Amino acid sequence: MNRKTLVLPAVVGLLAPVLAACGGTDSGSGGGDAIVVGTTDRFSATKDAPAPLDPAYSYDVGTWNILRQTVQTLMIQPKGDGDPVPEAAESCGFTDSGNERYACTLRSGLKFSNGDAITAEDVKFSIDRARAIKADSGVFALLSTIDTVETQGDDKVIFHLKTADATFPFKLSTPVAGIVNPDDYDKGKLREGFSVDGSGPYTLSAETEGDEMTRAVFTKNPNYKGTLDVKNDKVEILSFTDADAMGAALDGGDIDVMTRTMSPEQIDALSDAAADNDEDLVEVAGLEIRYLAFNTSAPVVKSKAVRQAMAQLIDRSELVSEVYGTQAEPLYSLVPATVTGHSNSFFNTYGDPSADKAKELLEEADVSTPVKLTLNYTTDHYGTATKQEFEQLQKQLNDSGLFDVSIEGAAWDTFIPAERKGEYAVYGMGWFPDFPDADNFLAPFLDKDNFLKSPYSNDEITDTLIPESRREADRLSAAANLTAIQDIVAEDVPIIPLWQGKQYVASRDDITGTAYVLNSSATLQLWELARGVSG
């Protein structure tokens, strides 16, 4: 079979209120053996994070991709991107002109995987539970605009919002809004371990070693009723320690599909391989970003001048060229270039990298040089290239003579608790959006209860610009407020955006559906996979 590299454009259009009816389907089966998908995501239940798969806690792309297969939401993002559409709901929409009252009618006949009927009270329980638990992951903030949840009969749920929120349909498509059975989930505490019960397209059986889930087995849910056409009977996600081991498994036929995170070298090799190779590479438009975040209360970076000097020195083009090649692009704002509302605020503020300008910033603030600090990064969550990336950042900052930078890596299950406790002054993170709207690249970092637990706060952003931007269903109309937020970030530098990346899926050539197995938000859509004929 000839190699095919398929590029899907990102579709990040206007957000409009949704009030539509969608019929369900249950037509797919696929048959045959389980399709095995490899990932380098690690799934751990630790003392600091004992409930990784509870929708009220989970807030990273890996665990969300487990939940999206198993826990149903009222709304869902369509496979080709665009505005969310009803899923567990038959219809949803704003019922007022101010985008402050949102009503959903449930699809008839909904059941949990155990056969229990789903009612509006179950939806209310699930949403209210996540809001009340307020897990330290910060995921509850996605529901922060909700004031009260009302039910009418068994099939109608009404959300009364504190303020206008045109992005609310998107938020109802995220796992934190997943519908769970009150018989399986305690109202006041998280569900520990790797058990998940919902009404999604699959049920989950977890295989574990110690405190890690090594294999997630998804079996088609016979009680599922929604909009998804499930094209297979069983899919497994197998967790690997690194990209090389995952690649070897694909080469050996032990897995059928390889997803995040492949190394740049693997992607290049798959792109350049001979046409008679039995593996295919698919390039998918992505909205992943990487950035440096600051604990702005830490003494070494408390001075804004230090953060501004770093922003003035970092050469994104060189960073991308040296580490990621054509697989990423420099990013000059938290909002990616393909998303409505993007502005190149950091380039507009700092221009090209300049040691002289950085020196002036530090001298004006009376900061002694070289500034000694540590850049912290995770060794196992964003791929093997992360270490190279931080070595490049270290070199750029130290070559200026203005900084004395060391770098330190830690495994994700160590890194995240330390970050949330404020132990790092400067640290590297990635962001896979909850939904493809500029609001989701700004509010999670800058709003109250932000998921980084950042001490940085700007009243104009939190009290005026974010609320005003959410009033606009036409996202082009929100651009002025969104640009103002990005300009403030470039001036205050609580975060330095670095690059935005593409997504890749590799598969054996008898696997179909890989063009849609990932959307632009890095959501795995395992129901799209099936076995075809190799050749």
Side-chain angles (χ1 to χ4, degrees):
M1 180 177 183
N2 290 334
R3 170 167 310 282
K4 56 180 182 291
T5 301
L6 185 64
V7 181
L8 301 180
V11 182
V12 187
L14 305 183
L15 175 63
V18 178
L19 183 57
C22 292
T25 179
D26 189 33
S27 60
S29 63
D33 298 331
I35 296 172
V36 184
V37 178
T39 181
T40 59
D41 286 331
R42 312 295 291 174
F43 308 98
S44 300
T46 65
K47 180 181 178 181
D48 289 316
L53 298 183
D54 191 319
Y57 176 84
S58 170
Y59 203 15
D60 67 76
V61 66
T63 55
W64 267 23
N65 278 333
I66 300 294
L67 291 176
R68 289 187 189 275
Q69 320 308 316
T70 52
V71 178
Q72 200 173 16
T73 49
L74 291 171
M75 304 291 285
I76 195 168
Q77 295 175 44
K79 68 180 182 180
D81 287 324
D83 294 342
V85 296
E87 163 60 353
E90 183 72 24
S91 63
C92 283
F94 286 105
T95 61
D96 66 335
S97 59
N99 293 339
E100 294 182 356
R101 188 179 187 273
Y102 195 78
C104 292
T105 300
L106 296 185
R107 190 176 299 280
S108 63
L110 285 177
K111 295 180 180 180
F112 290 110
S113 59
N114 67 356
D116 290 351
I118 295 175
T119 69
E121 282 296 332
D122 296 320
V123 177
K124 175 178 168 59
F125 168 86
S126 304
I127 300 289
D128 284 346
R129 175 178 179 267
R131 295 170 60 221
I133 289 176
K134 289 190 174 182
D136 64 5
S137 65
V139 69
F140 68 90
L142 283 170
L143 307 174
S144 63
T145 56
I146 296 175
D147 185 20
T148 58
V149 183
E150 175 191 356
T151 62
Q152 291 183 359
D154 287 339
D155 66 347
K156 192 163 188 178
V157 185
I158 301 170
F159 299 93
H160 300 277
L161 306 184
K162 299 173 185 175
T163 184
D165 186 1
T167 69
F168 191 67
F170 274 116
K171 294 171 181 177
L172 289 183
S173 73
T174 63
V176 70
I179 306 167
V180 298
N181 194 332
D183 291 342
D184 299 317
Y185 291 81
D186 191 293
K187 182 178 181 179
K189 67 178 182 179
L190 296 171
R191 183 178 182 179
E192 298 183 2
F194 298 105
S195 295
V196 181
D197 293 287
S199 57
Y202 298 98
T203 60
L204 170 68
S205 175
E207 297 181 11
T208 61
E209 291 181 7
D211 62 359
E212 285 201 358
M213 181 175 68
T214 55
R215 186 187 297 262
V217 181
F218 298 101
T219 303
K220 188 177 179 181
N221 176 13
N223 288 316
Y224 169 70
K225 187 170 185 180
T227 61
L228 303 175
D229 180 7
V230 184
K231 298 179 172 64
N232 55 69
D233 291 324
K234 182 178 287 188
V235 184
E236 300 178 3
I237 290 182
L238 186 58
S239 181
F240 289 88
T241 55
D242 56 54
D244 289 340
M246 181 169 62
L250 184 70
D251 292 341
D254 296 321
I255 63 174
D256 300 294
V257 180
M258 184 164 65
T259 59
R260 65 178 304 272
T261 302
M262 290 180 266
S263 70
E265 293 78 14
Q266 284 176 323
I267 295 168
D268 287 340
L270 285 164
S271 297
D272 296 338
D276 61 354
N277 194 288
D278 59 359
E279 296 171 359
D280 296 332
L281 180 71
V282 176
E283 180 184 293
V284 184
L287 297 175
E288 170 190 6
I289 70 169
R290 297 287 176 84
Y291 59 92
L292 287 179
F294 295 92
N295 175 356
T296 53
S297 293
V300 69
V301 293
K302 190 171 184 178
S303 170
K304 182 169 66 174
V306 173
R307 308 192 301 269
Q308 290 175 328
M310 293 176 67
Q312 183 67 72
L313 286 169
I314 290 173
D315 188 333
R316 295 166 177 80
S317 295
E318 181 182 61
L319 175 67
V320 167
S321 175
E322 291 292 329
V323 182
Y324 297 102
T326 60
Q327 298 160 26
E329 297 178 354
L331 180 64
Y332 296 93
S333 169
L334 283 172
V335 181
T338 50
V339 176
T340 300
H342 163 81
S343 174
N344 284 317
S345 297
F346 272 79
F347 186 82
N348 297 338
T349 302
Y350 299 99
D352 292 325
S354 170
D356 289 339
K357 290 181 180 179
K359 184 178 180 180
E360 289 178 13
L361 288 166
L362 294 171
E363 287 179 344
E364 289 174 3
D366 199 27
V367 175
S368 300
T369 58
V371 178
K372 187 177 179 64
L373 55 81
T374 299
L375 303 183
N376 295 90
Y377 66 95
T378 175
T379 57
D380 61 348
H381 194 67
Y382 301 121
T384 55
T386 305
K387 181 180 180 181
Q388 297 170 256
E389 178 180 340
F390 274 73
E391 289 172 342
Q392 183 64 219
L393 289 169
Q394 178 188 35
K395 181 178 184 301
Q396 289 185 8
L397 293 170
N398 286 349
D399 283 353
S400 71
L402 302 173
F403 286 86
D404 179 7
V405 171
S406 59
I407 60 174
E408 185 174 326
W412 184 249
D413 59 3
T414 300
F415 177 87
I416 279 296
E419 178 269 314
R420 287 178 180 155
K421 293 174 184 175
E423 295 178 8
Y424 301 146
V426 193
Y427 53 96
M429 292 281 281
W431 182 250
F432 299 84
D434 308 323
F435 50 87
D437 184 271
D439 178 88
N440 194 243
F441 291 91
L442 298 171
F445 307 98
L446 304 168
D447 209 351
K448 299 167 185 174
D449 295 320
N450 68 81
F451 95 103
L452 290 175
K453 309 295 183 187
S454 172
Y456 172 78
S457 179
N458 182 287
D459 290 344
E460 184 180 2
I461 291 176
T462 58
D463 297 343
T464 302
L465 295 174
I466 288 177
E468 287 185 358
S469 72
R470 287 174 174 167
R471 292 185 180 278
E472 302 293 345
D474 179 346
R475 302 310 280 161
L476 282 174
S477 299
N481 287 322
L482 296 170
T483 297
I485 295 171
Q486 293 166 79
D487 289 346
I488 291 171
V489 171
E491 170 64 25
D492 291 351
V493 200
I495 291 171
I496 298 178
L498 297 173
W499 55 266
Q500 66 182 85
K502 302 172 185 177
Q503 301 182 109
Y504 297 88
V505 178
S507 69
R508 308 292 297 180
D509 65 3
D510 64 334
I511 300 298
T512 64
T514 52
Y516 289 110
V517 73
L518 279 178
N519 68 11
S520 65
S521 299
T523 297
L524 270 179
Q525 302 171 137
L526 297 180
W527 51 86
E528 295 291 339
L529 297 175
R531 289 193 185 277
V533 178
S534 62

